[in-house]
Structures are given as structure tokens and as C-alpha cells.
């Protein structure tokens, strides 16, 4: 009797905890990456934190060199030879990825986690047929062999809506258009039903009508399979279209993170605000675009404090000296920002500007 | 952007029936086995002082058309008239004086500057070739650098010392060196990050107004086009399918392809996630010489006639500004369904608007304080 009671007591608690555990597909904490070059060591990522839940899409957004691709490559264990992980952790379903050996990573890649890249042509082997490459991935990570593996490959090509899938199996990458190649990449990535899909600028090289097709395809497949997607992009339009959550990166740090609606409706970091107002929009015809002056500092001239302080109109000595923590400033605890001045309408520097505007 | 009411309508460039066909492959007798029709029978005017954008997807022939316009490549057929002179048949030597009057800005600021030349040399070269006396050239180089927001000390440096945005400024300065009337930008901002892109777009707008330039912009980013252009020509597989003033084109596209193109643009507003009707498939091979409308294979409105009869670019009435809207579609009346959903005004939140204003106001205040230091 007591045993049954105990089980009753524990059961709900256990399911709850395991739910939370299963829900977090990817947890990245304090990830630090550096590069060794002949000019010395440079910090590329300086403490990146985020979690990605099952079935959700997190967009990493930022300008070139901000570290969004390096974040992805660190997770996949695909960093270049001269890069080293200096600290932090990245856990896939509670399993630590940082420090895993080559063989363990190989077992995970293409199985529990998969990645698609900007240029499908450079990720496909030009010397093998589409079918060959798809089947190889399936055989590596499953018990399927021969006809069964081939059938699964054809099935995958159909799922990514490639017409005449059986015929395409025998074709080579150069015989396909850019959009079709990206579909093949997606089919390969999803062949073993990964829990995590990392998409690094998957539509940047594609035309806008093809981009729309691919984004819709990723969304539909994700809806069916519950795969968590880490989408890396520089295009805020893509973020608004496919993202559930966003992390804005600047010079190797996340400066703001929150739900997509929070970020677009209530942008807190001056960089996010500047970025949002510098995109030309289809729906406006303003004569001048807002800009962010200057450019990202080189690793050698990176300020000690907030890395945006060299371009931020609100920055003071404190900002330049001390790194602001990523913290919530409003009621939405999921919406965090790394800025001493946020929200800017309350900061001291703004009082003048408010007067000017009034 | 030009004040649209004072726009002169006298064309600076007149393009008539221009085509560029490339032979592809050889048969047993050495004759080309197929023709790639990069640009096919395009007629178009570029008006003095306007910004004309040519848009379309990769392989549509927009870059080829721009290069034909500058006669950087030889047309297979057709005429190009620049400022009342037919330049389509001129010899290279006779063409040279026209070269200084028409210039090109390239897409990739990393590939288009010679890494072994200092910025000063890069800007000096076109001046020297065009016979500027030595003593005037130095002064001109400094003036050009100031025009694009760089310091005169930058003349001593090499391209690799500059960021992408700065390199594009150098590319612009080089194009402007000899005081051209026509500047063609081949995707001049698409390789740049958004915050830098905005700086370059503003710079191009300022320079155009200051120098009275005529701009032709090749672009695939429709939001950029909407922002910069006075008129837009839409190309598909080597042909011009629609030509109208910018406002008309975005508020009332009449070619089904134009509409599809506009509706495919992802909007930076998470509240508007339109379940759009997407275009199916890819553009067919430009090698196919099938008769009829090139867009018919993907067009939701296509019928039998579209596969046999090539539609001409015809006036379909006046646009918003009283300009003719030209469309190459047999059934444009059915494609004409008002505003595409992506041009609906996105809902900007009050908070965002306030902060964006504060950000810019504060930047301006600081700029005034630090006087007129050029932006690095």
C-alpha cells in the first residue's frame, strides 16, 4: 500500500521533470571560442547562452563576423583546426558535446543532429549520385540496408517535394537547380529524424521565390517531425517569418534574446533597434534610411566592456569598461538584454534627445 | 530619391530591341548546337536624373542588360543610343569619350579593387587615362574621398585595410572620378551587412542628388529597390515583363510574375505571416526556345495561348503618377488584383518607433557635437 502511494506521489513529479528534460533539445551555456592566427589569439565567441526546445525554431541573427556560424560549428564539432573551445558547454538532450572525440561526434552528426549550409553545391559530393549520398547517410545511422535504404531515400526526396524522386536518385548534383540541391540537402539532413537541425543561411544563395518555397518546406517538415531548428540568418525578414525565438549576436556575444514578437515589438538593445531601423522595408518610402555609424571593431580593438559601445550613441565610460550581463529588464523574464542603458527611453542620455524631439 | 514631380522625361539612354545570344556547345560541323538567350529583344529608356531599377532572379539577364547598356559586351542585335548618339556600332577608340560618361559599380567590393594598388592609385588611374593634368589629380582624389565619406589620408592605404562598406565607398568614388552622367550599380549593396547597406544606400542617394546623376540599379532585393528607385523594370528569362513607376509597381503589379516576386519577400514583421500562394518550380532553362510567354511554365494564370503566343510589352493604362504601366501578359487584367499582401503596412509597435526615433536623435545630437568628422 505504501509503495503504491509512494509511486502515486512520485509519478507526476517524474513526468514533469522528464518532460522538461526532453523538451530542451539543445542547451548552450557560456560557450567561448578563440582562434589562433599568426597575429595572436582572438576571442570569437565570448560566452554564448541559449536553449532550444523541441519543435521550436531559434534564429541566431547578426552581421557577418558576429559568431553565429562559429556557434553552429562548435555545436556540430566542425570547427576549423586553428579554433579552440575555451570554455562553456553545449548539451544535446543532456549529453555534453564539447570535448567529445571524433568517433562519438560522427555517430551523432547526421543522426541526432544535422546541419544544412548556405551553398548546397559545396556540401554535396559532385562525383556521386544523389541517391548514393542519401543512402550512405541512411546506412551509416540505421539498420536499413539495400532496397529498404533505397526506399527510405526515395521517401525522403518525396517528403521534400522533389518531383520524379526515383529518377532524381540516379542524377548528379550538377544536374539539379540550386533550389533542388537545397531540398536534397534537407532530405539528407532529416533522413535519420534528427532532434536538432542547424540551418546556416539555408536560403541566402537562393532567389526570393525559391527562398519562400524552402522556408515553407522547413516549417512544414518541422511541424510534422518536431525537430528543433537552429536557424542562422542575417535577414530579419526570415527571422520574422520562421522564428519562434531570436538571439541577436554582436561581435561574439548575444546582446538580446527573446520571443520573436518581443524582439520586434519591444527591441531593447540599441544594436537591435539600429538594425531594425536600417532595413529598407517593402511598405515604406522614406527618403533616408536610419544607419548605425561605423563598423564592428576588429578583435584587436575590441573594448573591454560592451562590445557595441564603440558605435552606440548611448554608451558612456561604464559601458566601455564593464560587460553588461544578459538579464531581463521588464516583466517578460524570457526576454533578456545585455545593456546597461536599456530600456533607452529611461536612460539619462536620452533626456536631451527627448527634449529635442518634443 | 529624386523629387518625382521635377523629373525630366528626356531619355539619356535609349535601348531599342537589344538582344544578346550566346552560342552554347558545338555540333559535328562546329556550329553552335543551341543559343542561350541572355537578353532577348528588350526596349527601354533611361531618363535623365532618374533611378531606374532592373529586378529579377538570377539568370534573368539584368546584369547582361546593364553591361550591354554600357557596351561592355557586344549586342547580338539592337541599338543603344546614349545622349542622342548611337554607340552600338562605335569602334573601341571612338567609344572612349563615352566611357568617362558612363560608369559601373560592382557588387563585390572585395574582388573589384586591385589589392596591389593604394586607394589613391585606384582613384588616380581613371583620371590619368582621361587626360587630367597631374597637379589637378591629387586634389580630385582628395575631393572624391571626401565625397564618399573617407579621409584624404586613406589614399595611402591598400584595399585590404578597409571594411566591406568602406571598400564599396572606394568603388563608388572610382566610378565618380571622371564625373559620369550615368552610373550603373550591379547589386552595389547586396554583399553588405544591413547596417552598412543602409549607409551606402543613403550615400548613393545623396551623391545622386548632389551630382545630378542618372542611376541604373541592378538588384534582387525588392525592399532596396522600393526605397531607391523611381521606376522599376522586371525581367524574367531575358525579357522585360513589366515596367512602371515604383509606387504603381508595388501597389498594383500587373504581371503575375511581378506579383509572385513581391509576395515572396519575407516581411520583417512576425505578426504578418502570410500563407502565400508560392510559385511552383524553377525557372526553365534559358536554352529552350519554346514559343510563347517564358513565364507560362510557372504561371498560375497560364492558358493555351500563353504557350504559343509571345506577349508584347504593352501599355495597360496609367500608373499612380500618370506614367504608363507596361506589361507583357495576355491576361494581365486577371493578374491585376490590387495590392500584394506583403506591401501592406507592417504594424510597428509604439515602443519600437519611440526607441528608433530616440536612437537616431541621439546619433544626430552626437554628430553635431563632434562637428563634421567623416564616418569611418
Amino acid at each position: 500500500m505504501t509503495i503504491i502511494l509512494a509511486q502515486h506521489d512520485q509519478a507526476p513529479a517524474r513526468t514533469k521533470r522528464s518532460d522538461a528534460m526532453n523538451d530542451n533539445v539543445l542547451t548552450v551555456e557560456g560557450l567561448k571560442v578563440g582562434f589562433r592566427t599568426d597575429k595572436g589569439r582572438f576571442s570569437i565567441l565570448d560566452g554564448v547562452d541559449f536553449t532550444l526546445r523541441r519543435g521550436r525554431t531559434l534564429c541566431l541573427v547578426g552581421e557577418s563576423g558576429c559568431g553565429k556560424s562559429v556557434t553552429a560549428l562548435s555545436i556540430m564539432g566542425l570547427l576549423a583546426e586553428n579554433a579552440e573551445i575555451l570554455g562553456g558547454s553545449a548539451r544535446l538532450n543532456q549529453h555534453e558535446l564539447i570535448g567529445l572525440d571524433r568517433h562519438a561526434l560522427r555517430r551523432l552528426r547526421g543522426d541526432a543532429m544535422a546541419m544544412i549550409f548556405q551553398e548546397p553545391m559545396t556540401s554535396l559530393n559532385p562525383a556521386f549520385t544523389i541517391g548514393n549520398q542519401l543512402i550512405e547517410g541512411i546506412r551509416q545511422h540505421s539498420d536499413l540496408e539495400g532496397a529498404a535504404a533505397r526506399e527510405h531515400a526515395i521517401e525522403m526526396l518525396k517528403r521534400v517535394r522533389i518531383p520524379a524522386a526515383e529518377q532524381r536518385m540516379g542524377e548528379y548534383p550538377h544536374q539539379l537547380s540550386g533550389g533542388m540541391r537545397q531540398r536534397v540537402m534537407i532530405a539528407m539532413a532529416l533522413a535519420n529524424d534528427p532532434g536538432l537541425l542547424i540551418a546556416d543561411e539555408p536560403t541566402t544563395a537562393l532567389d526570393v521565390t525559391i527562398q519562400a518555397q524552402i522556408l515553407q518546406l522547413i516549417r512544414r517538415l518541422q511541424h510534422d517531425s518536431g525537430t528543433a531548428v537552429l536557424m542562422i540568418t542575417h535577414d530579419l525578414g526570415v527571422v520574422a517569418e520562421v522564428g519562434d525565438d531570436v538571439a541577436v549576436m554582436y561581435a561574439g556575444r548575444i546582446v538580446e534574446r527573446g520571443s520573436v514578437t518581443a524582439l520586434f515589438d519591444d527591441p531593447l538593445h540599441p544594436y537591435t533597434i539600429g538594425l531594425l531601423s536600417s532595413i529598407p522595408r517593402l511598405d515604406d518610402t522614406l527618403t533616408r534610411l536610419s544607419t548605425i555609424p561605423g563598423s564592428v571593431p576588429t578583435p584587436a580593438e575590441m573594448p573591454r566592456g560592451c562590445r557595441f559601445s564603440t558605435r552606440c550613441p548611448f554608451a558612456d565610460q561604464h559601458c566601455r569598461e564593464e560587460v553588461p550581463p544578459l538579464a531581463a529588464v521588464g516583466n517578460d523574464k524570457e526576454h533578456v538584454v545585455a545593456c546597461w542603458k536599456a530600456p533607452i527611453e529611461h536612460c539619462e542620455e536620452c533626456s536631451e534627445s527627448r527634449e529635442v524631439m518634443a | 530619391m529624386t523629387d518625382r514631380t521635377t523629373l525630366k522625361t528626356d531619355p539619356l539612354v535609349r535601348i531599342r530591341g537589344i538582344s544578346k545570344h550566346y552560342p552554347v556547345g558545338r555540333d559535328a560541323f562546329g556550329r553552335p548546337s543551341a543559343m542561350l538567350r541572355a537578353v532577348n529583344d528588350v526596349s527601354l529608356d533611361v531618363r535623365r536624373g532618374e533611378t531606374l531599377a532592373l529586378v529579377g532572379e538570377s539568370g534573368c539577364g539584368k546584369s547582361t542588360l546593364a553591361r550591354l547598356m554600357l557596351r561592355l559586351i557586344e549586342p547580338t542585335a539592337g541599338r543603344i543610343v546614349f545622349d542622342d548618339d548611337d554607340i552600338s556600332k562605335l569602334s573601341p577608340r571612338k567609344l572612349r569619350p563615352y566611357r568617362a560618361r558612363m560608369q559601373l559599380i560592382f557588387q563585390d567590393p572585395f574582388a573589384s579593387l586591385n589589392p596591389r594598388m593604394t586607394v589613391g592609385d585606384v582613384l588616380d588611374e581613371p583620371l590619368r587615362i582621361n587626360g587630367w593634368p597631374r597637379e589637378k589629380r591629387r586634389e580630385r582624389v582628395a575631393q572624391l574621398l571626401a565625397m564618399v565619406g573617407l579621409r584624404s589620408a586613406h589614399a595611402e592605404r591598400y584595399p585590404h585595410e578597409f571594411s566591406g562598406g568602406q571598400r564599396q565607398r572606394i568603388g563608388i568614388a572610382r566610378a565618380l572620378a571622371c564625373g559620369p552622367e550615368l552610373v550603373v550599380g550591379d547589386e552595389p549593396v547586396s554583399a553588405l551587412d544591413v547596417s552598412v547597406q543602409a549607409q551606402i544606400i543613403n550615400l548613393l542617394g545623396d551623391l545622386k542628388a548632389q551630382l545630378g546623376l542618372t542611376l541604373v540599379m541592378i538588384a534582387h532585393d525588392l525592399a532596396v529597390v522600393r526605397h531607391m528607385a523611381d521606376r522599376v523594370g522586371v525581367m524574367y528569362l531575358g525579357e522585360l515583363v513589366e515596367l512602371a513607376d515604383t509606387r504603381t509597381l508595388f501597389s498594383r503589379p500587373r504581371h503575375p510574375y511581378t506579383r509572385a516576386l513581391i509576395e515572396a519577400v519575407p516581411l520583417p514583421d512576425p505578426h504578418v505571416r502570410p500563407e502565400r500562394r508560392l510559385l511552383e518550380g524553377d525557372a526553365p532553362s534559358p536554352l529552350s526556345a519554346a514559343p510563347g510567354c517564358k513565364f507560362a511554365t510557372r504561371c498560375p494564370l497560364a492558358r493555351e495561348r500563353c504557350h504559343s503566343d509571345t506577349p508584347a510589352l504593352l501599355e495597360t493604362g496609367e500608373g499612380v503618377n500618370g506614367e504608363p504601366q507596361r506589361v507583357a501578359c495576355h491576361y494581365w487584367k486577371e493578374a491585376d488584383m490590387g495590392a500584394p499582401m506583403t506591401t501592406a503596412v507592417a504594424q510597428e509597435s509604439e515602443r519600437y518607433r519611440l526607441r528608433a526615433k530616440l536612437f537616431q536623435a541621439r546619433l544626430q545630437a552626437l554628430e553635431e557635437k563632434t562637428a563634421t568628422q567623416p564616418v569611418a
Side-chain angles (χ1 to χ4, degrees):
Chain A
M1 191 65 190
T2 41
I3 297 165
I4 294 166
L5 266 177
Q7 272 179 344
H8 265 286
D9 279 343
Q10 272 178 358
R14 197 167 52 208
T15 29
K16 230 185 218 166
R17 201 177 56 215
S18 66
D19 264 356
M21 276 164 81
N22 288 341
D23 228 29
N24 275 354
V25 175
L26 179 69
T27 310
V28 175
E29 278 172 354
L31 189 63
K32 289 188 182 192
V33 175
F35 275 122
R36 291 182 305 268
T37 70
D38 45 5
K39 284 180 188 150
R41 284 159 180 257
F42 295 116
S43 150
I44 298 299
L45 288 190
D46 189 39
V48 167
D49 297 280
F50 61 83
T51 56
L52 176 54
R53 279 180 292 159
R54 194 181 127 70
R56 304 274 285 185
T57 299
L58 172 74
C59 291
L60 279 185
V61 64
E63 300 181 281
S64 37
C66 71
K68 48 194 197 301
S69 289
V70 172
T71 305
L73 295 175
S74 314
I75 295 163
M76 294 294 288
L78 292 172
L79 281 175
E81 284 286 310
N82 65 340
E84 51 188 348
I85 292 177
L86 303 169
S89 102
R91 293 190 302 278
L92 180 70
N93 304 320
Q94 305 305 312
H95 300 296
E96 182 60 57
L97 296 171
I98 307 298
L100 278 188
D101 65 53
R102 275 183 22 228
H103 302 287
L105 276 167
R106 263 189 96 152
R107 275 198 297 277
L108 287 173
R109 282 195 297 256
D111 191 22
M113 59 182 182
M115 185 161 174
I116 53 178
F117 299 87
Q118 179 175 341
E119 272 298 338
M121 197 58 199
T122 55
S123 327
L124 288 167
N125 189 332
F128 291 94
T129 62
I130 301 300
N132 226 314
Q133 300 183 55
L134 258 167
I135 291 170
E136 186 196 355
I138 292 165
R139 288 179 52 193
Q140 282 283 334
H141 298 287
S142 73
D143 305 331
L144 296 179
E145 285 290 340
R150 186 182 154 79
E151 214 162 281
H152 184 52
I154 293 171
E155 172 61 33
M156 285 313 298
L157 288 182
K158 284 183 182 158
R159 272 182 65 194
V160 296
R161 285 156 205 264
I162 288 183
E166 263 139 274
Q167 186 192 327
R168 294 293 186 192
M169 290 283 285
E171 290 184 3
Y172 290 87
H174 75 266
Q175 292 172 286
L176 304 180
S177 68
M180 282 299 153
R181 281 182 212 137
Q182 199 56 289
R183 282 170 197 266
V184 170
M185 284 305 298
I186 294 170
M188 278 184 190
L190 297 181
N192 297 305
D193 201 13
L196 170 68
L197 174 69
I198 299 180
D200 189 355
E201 305 264 11
T203 58
T204 306
L206 304 175
D207 282 320
V208 59
T209 59
I210 309 297
Q211 162 171 290
Q213 294 172 2
I214 297 291
L215 291 179
Q216 194 185 57
L217 175 71
I218 293 176
R219 243 188 354 225
R220 281 190 185 153
L221 293 173
Q222 176 184 31
H223 184 259
D224 298 343
S225 64
T227 303
V229 176
L230 181 64
M231 173 80 80
I232 293 169
T233 179
H234 69 279
D235 186 336
L236 288 160
V238 172
V239 174
E241 180 119 351
V242 302
D244 296 307
D245 303 290
V246 204
V248 181
M249 292 190 70
Y250 185 81
R253 287 188 191 137
I254 289 178
V255 294
E256 184 165 3
R257 198 182 63 218
S259 71
V260 167
T261 43
L263 195 106
F264 279 86
D265 292 347
D266 187 16
L268 289 167
H269 200 283
Y271 176 63
T272 315
I273 296 163
L275 205 57
L276 279 172
S277 48
S278 59
I279 31 174
R281 304 172 90 108
L282 262 192
D283 50 37
D284 89 341
T285 46
L286 291 173
T287 41
R288 276 188 86 75
L289 290 173
S290 307
T291 61
I292 305 173
S295 46
V296 184
T298 61
E301 19 179 65
M302 206 57 85
R304 250 189 304 162
C306 170
R307 292 183 165 181
F308 188 58
S309 61
T310 57
R311 300 169 77 188
C312 180
F314 302 100
D316 59 14
Q317 203 53 30
H318 183 216
C319 298
R320 285 184 278 272
E321 298 285 326
E322 231 172 297
V323 181
L326 201 56
V329 296
N331 297 328
D332 179 359
K333 295 299 167 215
E334 299 284 303
H335 185 190
V336 290
V337 60
C339 176
W340 296 116
K341 305 287 182 185
I344 56 172
E345 62 268 27
H346 296 320
C347 85
E348 225 174 280
E349 282 76 8
C350 254
S351 52
E352 300 170 40
S353 309
R354 289 183 79 104
E355 280 159 30
V356 174
M357 277 165 56
Chain B
M1 207 177 304
T2 320
D3 185 356
R4 281 166 182 150
T5 51
T6 62
L7 202 67
K8 275 185 270 176
T9 50
D10 171 32
L12 177 64
V13 187
R14 268 172 281 180
I15 298 170
R16 292 292 174 268
I18 204 102
S19 294
K20 181 67 187 175
H21 297 174
Y22 291 99
V24 179
R26 298 270 169 210
D27 65 10
F29 302 100
R31 292 174 305 209
S33 52
M35 276 298 187
L36 189 149
R37 292 170 169 75
V39 169
N40 205 19
D41 194 16
V42 169
S43 297
L44 179 71
D45 284 347
V46 183
R47 298 174 191 159
R48 259 173 239 279
E50 77 169 341
T51 300
L52 172 72
L54 294 174
V55 305
E57 299 183 286
S58 43
C60 73
K62 53 193 194 296
S63 289
T64 307
L65 181 59
R67 281 167 169 73
L68 284 169
M69 196 184 292
L70 301 173
R71 248 202 83 188
L72 291 172
I73 47 178
E74 299 300 316
T76 309
R79 283 192 313 139
I80 311 145
V81 179
F82 181 83
D83 201 13
D84 294 329
D85 304 321
D86 189 337
I87 60 163
S88 36
K89 303 261 156 35
L90 290 184
S91 67
R93 210 168 54 84
K94 288 208 170 126
L95 196 59
R96 191 166 286 172
Y98 293 94
R99 291 266 185 243
R101 299 170 64 189
M102 41 167 116
Q103 284 293 316
L104 185 60
I105 303 169
F106 296 91
Q107 171 175 0
D108 188 348
F110 294 87
S112 56
L113 298 173
N114 186 336
R116 289 162 184 268
M117 285 165 84
T118 64
V119 169
D121 293 341
V122 166
L123 299 181
D124 186 67
E125 193 176 36
L127 297 172
R128 199 181 37 179
I129 289 168
N130 282 284
W132 282 57
R134 185 182 292 269
E135 59 281 6
K136 279 197 176 163
R137 289 194 327 239
R138 262 187 88 86
E139 198 184 312
R140 176 68 176 164
V141 168
Q143 188 191 8
L144 285 167
L145 286 170
M147 259 161 58
V148 297
L150 294 170
R151 288 191 291 271
S152 50
H154 283 140
E156 310 299 320
R157 300 212 202 151
Y158 287 89
H160 76 264
E161 297 174 69
F162 295 89
S163 66
Q166 287 173 320
R167 278 185 230 203
Q168 200 54 296
R169 287 172 193 269
I170 298 165
I172 293 169
R174 175 176 60 185
L176 296 178
C178 295
E181 291 150 67
L182 173 69
V183 173
V184 177
D186 190 357
E187 304 266 10
V189 298
S190 47
L192 305 172
D193 278 321
V194 264
S195 71
V196 180
Q197 173 179 297
Q199 295 172 9
I200 300 296
I201 290 173
N202 285 344
L203 175 70
L204 282 172
D206 293 346
L207 288 171
K208 189 191 156 217
Q210 233 175 67
L211 306 171
L213 299 173
T214 302
L215 270 183
V216 173
M217 287 275 299
I218 315 296
H220 71 275
D221 185 333
L222 292 179
V224 169
V225 167
R226 171 96 209 233
H227 185 84
M228 294 185 74
D230 300 305
R231 286 196 307 149
V232 185
V234 182
M235 293 188 71
Y236 188 78
L237 276 182
E239 285 168 10
L240 197 59
V241 298
E242 184 157 6
L243 179 66
D245 70 275
T246 307
R247 261 178 66 199
T248 305
L249 192 98
F250 282 93
S251 61
R252 193 188 67 194
R254 281 183 166 163
H255 196 285
Y257 177 64
T258 313
R259 169 172 291 273
L261 205 58
I262 296 171
E263 290 194 341
V265 177
L267 271 192
D269 180 351
H271 302 289
V272 196
R273 285 191 185 179
E275 265 310 310
R276 18 179 110 95
R277 291 152 292 158
L278 296 183
L279 270 191
E280 297 282 325
D282 294 311
S285 158
L287 291 176
S288 83
C293 173
K294 293 270 192 294
F295 186 57
T297 55
R298 298 169 82 191
C299 182
L301 301 174
R303 305 186 196 160
E304 222 168 284
R305 184 180 169 202
C306 303
H307 293 283
S308 56
D309 238 353
T310 309
L313 189 72
L314 296 175
E315 277 189 31
T316 64
E318 288 186 354
V320 186
N321 298 357
E323 294 264 353
Q325 180 172 12
R326 294 194 172 85
V327 182
C329 175
H330 297 308
Y331 300 106
W332 64 266
K333 278 189 182 136
E334 288 161 51
D336 189 4
M337 294 176 288
M341 55 185 109
T342 43
T343 54
V345 177
Q347 295 293 312
E348 288 174 350
S349 75
E350 281 303 312
R351 271 191 194 145
Y352 163 65
R353 246 182 251 177
L354 169 68
R355 286 176 193 155
K357 267 190 206 161
L358 284 171
F359 185 84
Q360 286 307 315
R362 177 79 185 151
L363 273 182
Q364 247 168 21
L366 287 183
E367 218 170 275
E368 278 157 27
K369 245 185 238 173
T370 51
T372 48
Q373 269 208 341
V375 185

